[in-house]
Amino acid sequence: MSSAAKALKLLSHFSVTRPEIGLSQMCRIAGRDKATTYRHLQALEEQGFVEQNPATRQYRLGPAVMQLAQLREATVPRKEAARPALAALADATCETAHVTVLSGTTLYGLCESYASHHATRAVIDLNTFPLHATASGLCALAFGPADLLAAAVTDLHGFTDRTPTDRDDLTALIHHTRTTGFGRANRIYEDEIEGLSAPVFDQTGHFAGAVAVACVATRFTPALERTILTELTTAAREITRNWGGTIPDAVEAAWASTDTQETTLEPTP
């Protein structure tokens, strides 16, 4: 990884729940030494990608990030085109819905919608989604570029005791995702969360991202699963259409063959 890539990677550690990060904390999170981390943060600060809060001296995202985000949305409108379908998905399932987008070999969080039906809900606090440990990541591996698997197996970190940590286990989940048309994270990223996802495509005809529902595991029932699967296909078709794409015949066939009257997705290991 180049020095520039290592510096830019630091930006992925900021989130809604962690908007500011001090130097020592960043060293721990990134797993790097203090001198290198400080040098990278200085380079990012010079270009406006981060700035220091005058009161706390901690680092936060800078104005250059906001300018690039606005430019991205203006030239490649993804977020606003996904919001209506996402809100409808959260309302229909009474759970948290979110969309991810693929860029290179990284799956980024785009936007989310929270249902107000429950006091306890899944909170999306990821800037990038592990390919091997999230429902959206499994969709990317199943329907995205072939080189994603090679990227995923370089770091099969075990987030829970259910996370696939070897290539064979991961390949089995990818095959199941491709066969059913849905990705499922059966408590493989967080012990308390079940995730289901469907692929989204853009005007290029290629995989562009995924739409997903994250559900508190104690509420996940066969009836709720059937509802989520049905609503996911509706949302995936709408977002794909809004992004100028069409759902491939193979994916439509996989959805059609998946019996949503029963729990047919990958069982608990």
Side-chain angles (χ1 to χ4, degrees):
M1 185 183 294
S2 68
S3 180
K6 290 179 180 179
L8 291 171
K9 180 67 176 177
L10 296 180
L11 299 177
S12 68
H13 298 303
F14 294 96
S15 68
V16 174
T17 57
R18 192 166 58 200
E20 295 188 359
I21 305 176
L23 176 58
S24 297
Q25 184 184 13
M26 183 65 85
C27 292
R28 292 194 299 272
I29 296 170
R32 302 177 193 174
D33 64 83
K34 193 170 185 178
T36 301
T37 303
Y38 180 66
R39 185 172 68 254
H40 288 161
L41 286 171
Q42 277 191 313
L44 291 171
E45 187 174 17
E46 288 174 2
Q47 300 303 317
F49 288 103
V50 299
E51 63 184 12
Q52 280 188 292
N53 183 330
T56 65
R57 305 305 299 167
Q58 292 188 324
Y59 292 92
R60 61 192 181 193
L61 293 177
V65 174
M66 182 173 64
Q67 292 172 357
L68 290 174
Q70 291 173 339
L71 177 60
R72 164 73 182 187
E73 186 61 22
T75 56
V76 187
R78 290 283 191 259
K79 186 179 294 187
E80 291 307 313
R83 285 194 186 280
L86 205 58
L89 178 60
D91 186 61
T93 61
C94 304
E95 299 293 343
T96 300
H98 60 100
V99 172
T100 52
V101 292
L102 181 69
S103 179
T105 59
T106 302
L107 195 63
Y108 294 94
L110 179 68
C111 54
E112 60 279 329
S113 183
Y114 294 101
S116 58
H117 301 72
H118 303 290
T120 304
R121 63 188 182 185
V123 176
I124 307 301
D125 186 30
L126 290 173
N127 294 322
T128 60
F129 286 65
L131 295 173
H132 72 294
T134 59
S136 298
L138 291 175
C139 263
L141 291 170
F143 303 107
D147 62 349
L148 288 184
L149 179 58
V153 297
T154 60
D155 183 20
L156 295 178
H157 176 75
F159 294 97
T160 75
D161 59 6
R162 301 168 187 254
T163 307
T165 54
D166 67 62
R167 189 185 184 109
D168 289 343
D169 288 344
L170 179 58
T171 300
L173 287 179
I174 295 169
H175 175 73
H176 196 273
T177 301
R178 194 174 290 126
T179 300
T180 63
F182 299 101
R184 179 173 182 177
N186 185 358
R187 308 187 192 195
I188 61 176
Y189 182 72
E190 294 180 275
D191 285 316
E192 303 82 12
I193 300 297
E194 293 269 2
L196 290 168
S197 67
V200 175
F201 302 83
D202 63 15
Q203 77 284 354
T204 67
H206 297 129
F207 175 87
V211 57
V213 172
C215 173
V216 174
T218 54
R219 289 199 295 267
F220 194 74
T221 63
L224 178 57
E225 180 176 350
R226 291 193 294 271
T227 297
I228 292 173
L229 294 181
T230 299
E231 298 299 331
L232 273 176
T233 58
T234 299
R237 289 181 182 123
E238 181 177 344
I239 295 171
T240 293
R241 184 173 59 252
N242 290 345
W243 287 4
T246 56
I247 302 294
D249 291 342
V251 175
E252 288 283 7
W255 289 344
S257 67
T258 299
D259 183 5
T260 58
Q261 299 307 307
E262 297 179 7
T263 304
T264 59
L265 297 188
E266 192 72 13
T268 302

